[in-house]
């Protein structure tokens, strides 16, 4: 897919399902790759979930480095750095009273999808309909009915099921980016305490993430199933 096709598919996906904000294109720039030309540096320190939220609502395109990522846990699961021992062990969430024991917290953190530490040097974000690079993952923040329709469209051609494994932790980063990046599978997640506190993700919204290679078939099926000419 070239940039023009990606942009067209992004607009069609948003229009056919009447999604109120843009699907967000995310690209993990590997340590031995170049950052795509013409993409501005974010120029401020904020969280990955806020970057996704700003891109979908405000239409901004930018790249970020490790130092720009305020949430180092999110940065770690996406491969920008090592995860801190306290987070990896579950101690952080145990101390927040999210788990009854340190063992339960550790068991959960051991199952969090994580890209290899220090394998990624930058992350690029853009509204899908404006992307001037090939993303790895598309994140759609939408209402449950729209996520249902996305799921149905994903399965229309070949069937199967959509993964919905989550813990309400590391949601927009681990579930939303690391999982589809590592597995090549689409996923659904519900947000986490941080992403719902620091962004404008609404109570009635959830997150679906799709590897970019699934995008053409997804949009084609969505148009045939839910477009204005569909039965």
């Amino acid at each position: 897919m070239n940039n023009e096709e990606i942009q067209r598919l992004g607009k069609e996906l948003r229009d056919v399902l009447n999604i109120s904000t843009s699907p967000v294109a995310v690209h993990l720039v590997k340590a031995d790759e170049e950052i795509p030309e013409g993409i501005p540096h974010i120029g401020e320190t904020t969280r990955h979930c806020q970057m996704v939220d700003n891109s979908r609502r405000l239409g901004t395109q930018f790249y970020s480095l490790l130092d720009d990522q305020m949430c180092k846990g999110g940065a770690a699961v996406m491969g920008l750095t090592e995860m801190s021992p306290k987070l990896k062990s579950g101690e952080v969430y145990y101390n927040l009273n999210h788990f009854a024991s340190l063992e339960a917290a550790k068991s959960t953190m051991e199952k969090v999808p994580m890209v290899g530490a220090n394998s990624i040097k930058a992350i690029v974000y853009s509204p899908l309909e404006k992307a001037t690079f090939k993303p790895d993952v598309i994140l759609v923040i939408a209402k449950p009915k729209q996520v249902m329709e996305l799921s149905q469209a994903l399965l229309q051609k070949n069937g199967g099921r959509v993964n919905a494994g989550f813990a309400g932790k590391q949601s927009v980063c681990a579930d939303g980016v690391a999982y589809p990046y590592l597995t090549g599978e689409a996923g659904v997640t519900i947000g986490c305490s941080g992403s719902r506190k620091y962004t404008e993700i609404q109570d009635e919204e959830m997150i679906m993430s799709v590897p970019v290679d699934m995008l053409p078939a997804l949009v084609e099926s969505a148009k045939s199933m839910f477009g204005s000419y569909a039965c």
Side-chain angles (χ1 to χ4, degrees), residues 23-213:
V24 178
V26 175
H27 173 48
L28 304 187
V29 182
K30 295 178 182 177
D32 60 351
E33 294 178 344
E34 296 297 324
I35 297 170
E37 293 184 3
I39 308 290
H41 181 223
I42 187 172
E44 63 177 320
T45 303
T46 188
R47 296 166 176 82
H48 163 75
C49 53
Q50 292 173 300
M51 295 181 192
V52 170
D53 192 48
N54 288 341
S55 187
R56 71 151 181 149
R57 292 185 301 101
L58 305 178
T60 50
Q61 178 175 255
F62 51 85
Y63 74 88
S64 66
L65 304 173
L66 172 60
D67 288 345
D68 306 313
Q69 297 278 346
M70 185 178 293
C71 175
K72 299 308 184 198
V77 298
M78 295 184 295
L80 287 165
T81 187
E82 296 273 358
M83 180 169 282
S84 73
K86 287 187 176 181
L87 187 60
K88 189 174 184 178
S89 70
E91 183 179 346
V92 169
Y93 288 119
Y94 174 66
N95 290 337
L96 290 171
N97 199 32
H98 288 193
F99 293 94
S101 68
L102 183 59
E103 290 74 19
K106 182 179 180 182
S107 175
T108 299
M109 292 307 297
E110 287 174 346
K111 296 177 176 64
V112 171
M114 283 196 289
V115 179
N118 302 309
S119 64
I120 303 300
K121 70 178 181 184
I123 305 179
V124 189
Y125 304 80
S126 175
L128 185 56
E129 67 270 23
K130 295 182 179 179
T132 57
F133 57 90
K134 184 178 179 180
D136 297 299
V137 176
I138 312 302
L139 286 92
V140 182
I141 300 174
K143 295 179 180 179
K145 180 183 177 183
Q146 294 163 326
V147 172
M148 176 197 75
E149 292 171 341
L150 284 165
S151 301
Q152 292 173 341
L154 274 171
L155 304 181
Q156 193 232 17
K157 293 185 182 298
N158 298 311
R161 294 182 67 82
V162 175
N163 174 73
F166 50 79
K169 305 284 185 291
Q170 311 288 139
S171 186
V172 181
C173 51
D175 299 343
V177 175
Y179 175 82
Y181 180 83
L182 291 169
T183 66
E185 298 178 358
V188 173
T189 186
I190 55 173
C192 57
S193 301
S195 61
R196 291 197 177 274
K197 177 178 180 180
Y198 295 112
T199 75
E200 294 190 27
I201 297 174
Q202 300 299 300
D203 289 351
E204 63 273 17
E205 291 181 316
M206 56 195 302
I207 303 103
M208 186 166 194
S209 53
V210 182
V212 71
D213 291 343

